[in-house]
Amino acid sequence: VRTFLHHFEFHVDLVVARQPTFGDGLLLACNLPEEGRDDWSPANPRGQREAAWEKNEQCGEMYIPAVRIVKYWNEGLGKPLRSYHAESILYHALDGPLDYGEAVVRFFDAAYDALAPGVLTADPGAPTTYVDERLEDEDRRHARERVEQARASAHRALEVDDVGDA
């Protein structure tokens, strides 16, 4: 749904969900005819939110802003990664407070590894599932190429003392 609030356009995505017969989380309606899917996919939005809050606290309140930086990069390149995939990679890459430049370099290093063929990224909110299990090989290759380019730039920028030059 596209709407406006105080002259700013924003979008709201609604997904049909139901409680599973057993277990935690939700079952989300998944209708992807191009992939031959019309089923209910397990998800745990509450677990995702709690994992993000815990990681943010563990990282000295810099994780959530770092996620925004990574998602801004991803948007600027036409989303080579699905948004939550990028967030999940960063989640696994950080283990404590860092400055944002170091966090971004960690993200690109981790993303390069996570996009290698056969590697899957666990969902922070539901660690027994993977956020990229349906990622096509060609999309994985393309994303890895984009990450590799950004990774080299991020490493060079981190080595420069002057912020303007970086």
Side-chain angles (χ1 to χ4, degrees):
V1 176
R2 185 181 86 176
T3 189
F4 293 87
L5 180 64
H6 301 289
H7 306 292
F8 291 97
E9 180 180 335
F10 69 95
H11 298 258
V12 177
D13 292 331
L14 301 175
V15 178
V16 176
R18 66 181 177 88
Q19 294 290 327
T21 306
F22 58 90
D24 294 332
L26 296 171
L27 295 173
L28 305 180
C30 181
N31 184 1
L32 300 169
E34 66 278 2
E35 294 181 18
R37 295 198 59 196
D38 187 14
D39 57 20
W40 295 93
S41 298
N44 190 351
R46 183 174 290 125
Q48 293 168 355
R49 185 180 64 235
E50 289 170 1
W53 287 342
E54 288 172 16
K55 180 63 77 170
N56 196 50
E57 187 176 310
Q58 176 190 11
C59 292
E61 307 299 321
M62 57 73 60
Y63 170 70
I64 291 173
V67 167
R68 290 185 183 122
I69 292 168
V70 165
K71 287 185 177 186
Y72 181 79
W73 165 83
N74 194 43
E75 279 283 330
L77 288 179
K79 289 189 167 184
L81 291 165
R82 290 186 174 126
S83 182
Y84 190 59
H85 188 191
E87 182 176 336
S88 299
I89 290 170
L90 182 63
Y91 176 91
H92 294 294
L94 301 182
D95 55 7
L98 296 170
D99 69 37
Y100 294 117
E102 292 170 330
V104 168
V105 167
R106 282 240 191 129
F107 165 76
F108 287 125
D109 288 344
Y112 184 78
D113 293 340
L115 291 164
V119 177
L120 294 175
T121 303
D123 182 334
T128 59
T129 63
Y130 300 99
V131 298
D132 54 346
E133 64 189 351
R134 293 191 330 253
L135 184 61
E136 296 289 333
D137 291 342
E138 181 59 25
D139 294 334
R140 182 177 293 276
R141 185 194 61 72
H142 173 71
R144 196 168 197 228
E145 286 174 0
R146 301 307 293 263
V147 163
E148 184 176 27
Q149 294 165 357
R151 179 182 181 210
S153 296
H155 276 277
R156 284 192 305 274
L158 193 60
E159 294 171 3
V160 176
D161 291 330
D162 182 68
V163 174
D165 291 340

